[in-house]
Amino acid sequence: MAERVLVIGSGGREHALAWKLAQSPHVQQVLVAPGNAGTANSGKISNSAVSVNNHSILAQYCKDHNVGLVVVGPEVPLAAGIVDDLTAAGVTCFGPSAKAAQLEASKSFSKSFMDRHNIPTARWSSFTDPQDACKYIQDAEFPALVVKASGLAAGKGVVVARDKDEALKAVLDIMKDKAFGSAGETVVVEEQLEGEEVSCLCFSDGITVSPMPPAQDHKRLLDGDQGPNTGGMGAYCPTPQVSEEVLQEIKRSVLQKTVDGMREEGTPYMGVLYAGVMLTKQGPKVLEFNCRFGDPEGVRGHAPP
């Protein structure tokens, strides 16, 4: 591994990545940009003020400072093509390309992809007209109570409604009142799934997958899961709900199928693939994908109120 590693991001996730990378005898120094108080001058770890938004400046910084590997934490720079641009400049990166990151950056793309490759997920449809979305909620033969802003909304762009009226209000909040800005120009409305929700992450080189132990997180505010979804308020691992048999099923029917499908479509997926999965009576079903490690939350799911 490279002697000097640059971690992109500023959260607890990046602190954890830097902490673990610094333990390697192959790593001399870990830089974190922009980093946080926990990553400032801590042994091998220090913060960097280099711009992470200007990719040409960042690439030159990596060359000037002999950075051998860049590890990208958050989804926004991944969706903006940071891996594409740095790789083109000759800098080695860990993370998916912008096209591959669409699995998280566009929920509409993600759901269509799952349908094309027979990856189990909730029934759904996407809309750019709020009236069409509302009609779908009213007429669906199943509880179409999950309303999602299709774009990136920092983990807050999902409403799990208690009833049709709340789902209709969510559509108007997202599409007319722009509750999540441009992320809500397209919305995905989908079936509410019931069961235990787990987060299943894996490493992928574009061909194979290597799963990590599954985790569960705490998302909804207030005791008894009465409040709205958050970006996550803590997580635990391992999860007793996921047997080795179930994990192998998720690896086969979700993780490997996704990596195979992306490669078949000419967009190999390399990095961390994160599947939020509901363990339903019909088997595991995907709630959504993330294209990176959590921070430290799981996915924004469908756990019934």
Side-chain angles (χ1 to χ4, degrees):
M1 183 181 275
E3 286 194 335
R4 185 170 283 133
V5 179
L6 174 64
V7 176
I8 304 294
S10 60
R13 161 184 51 213
E14 287 74 37
H15 190 177
L17 287 170
W19 169 77
K20 196 64 186 177
L21 285 163
Q23 293 176 18
S24 169
H26 302 294
V27 175
Q28 179 187 10
Q29 184 183 20
V30 181
L31 301 167
V32 190
N36 57 47
T39 54
N41 302 317
S42 174
K44 289 184 182 180
I45 306 167
S46 58
N47 291 340
S48 168
V50 65
S51 169
V52 298
N53 297 320
N54 187 318
H55 298 168
S56 58
I57 290 176
L58 185 60
Q60 191 59 50
Y61 173 91
C62 291
K63 292 174 182 179
D64 291 345
H65 291 80
N66 298 315
V67 171
L69 176 67
V70 175
V71 179
V72 186
E75 65 275 18
V76 172
L78 290 167
I82 191 170
V83 170
D84 309 68
D85 293 342
L86 292 182
T87 301
V91 178
T92 303
C93 285
F94 179 79
S97 66
K99 277 191 173 181
Q102 286 183 98
L103 280 175
E104 176 172 7
S106 170
K107 292 182 176 64
S108 182
F109 170 88
S110 175
K111 296 290 285 190
S112 296
F113 173 86
M114 285 187 266
D115 284 353
R116 287 196 298 276
H117 295 278
N118 297 310
I119 295 166
T121 190
R123 290 173 284 183
W124 70 286
S125 193
S126 67
F127 304 93
T128 54
D129 184 318
Q131 286 186 313
D132 292 344
C134 289
K135 187 175 190 305
Y136 181 81
I137 290 166
Q138 295 281 23
D139 297 345
E141 296 177 356
F142 50 86
L145 298 178
V146 181
V147 182
K148 300 180 175 182
S150 182
L152 294 176
K156 313 297 192 294
V158 176
V159 176
V160 184
R162 291 178 174 81
D163 52 38
K164 286 185 178 183
D165 287 343
E166 196 173 312
L168 296 172
K169 181 179 183 300
V171 167
L172 298 178
D173 287 347
I174 293 171
M175 301 193 80
K176 286 199 164 181
D177 297 341
K178 306 290 185 189
F180 304 112
S182 61
E185 289 174 0
T186 297
V187 298
V188 169
V189 179
E190 61 183 56
E191 170 188 18
Q192 183 182 44
L193 299 177
E194 293 193 17
E196 286 273 357
E197 184 181 342
V198 294
S199 302
C200 296
L201 290 78
C202 70
F203 296 101
S204 179
D205 59 1
I207 300 171
T208 59
V209 296
S210 180
M212 303 175 216
Q216 264 195 327
D217 73 310
H218 311 282
K219 284 178 296 296
R220 298 184 74 147
L221 286 175
L222 309 180
D223 290 342
D225 283 344
Q226 295 300 306
N229 275 352
T230 69
M233 299 177 293
Y236 66 92
C237 173
T239 52
Q241 301 87 337
V242 183
S243 64
E244 183 59 32
E245 183 182 358
V246 170
L247 183 58
Q248 288 305 312
E249 168 67 10
I250 292 168
K251 178 184 177 182
R252 182 192 64 80
S253 67
V254 175
L255 301 174
Q256 189 66 60
K257 260 192 177 183
T258 300
V259 169
D260 289 347
M262 292 296 280
R263 191 174 69 256
E264 287 165 17
E265 294 191 6
T267 312
Y269 191 99
M270 290 173 280
V272 169
L273 177 65
Y274 177 147
V277 175
M278 188 70 85
L279 305 178
T280 75
K281 290 177 181 176
Q282 294 79 38
K285 293 188 179 184
V286 177
L287 299 173
E288 69 174 9
F289 289 115
N290 290 334
C291 58
R292 34 70 189 183
F293 288 101
D295 187 26
E297 80 281 9
V299 294
R300 275 49 70 184
H302 301 204

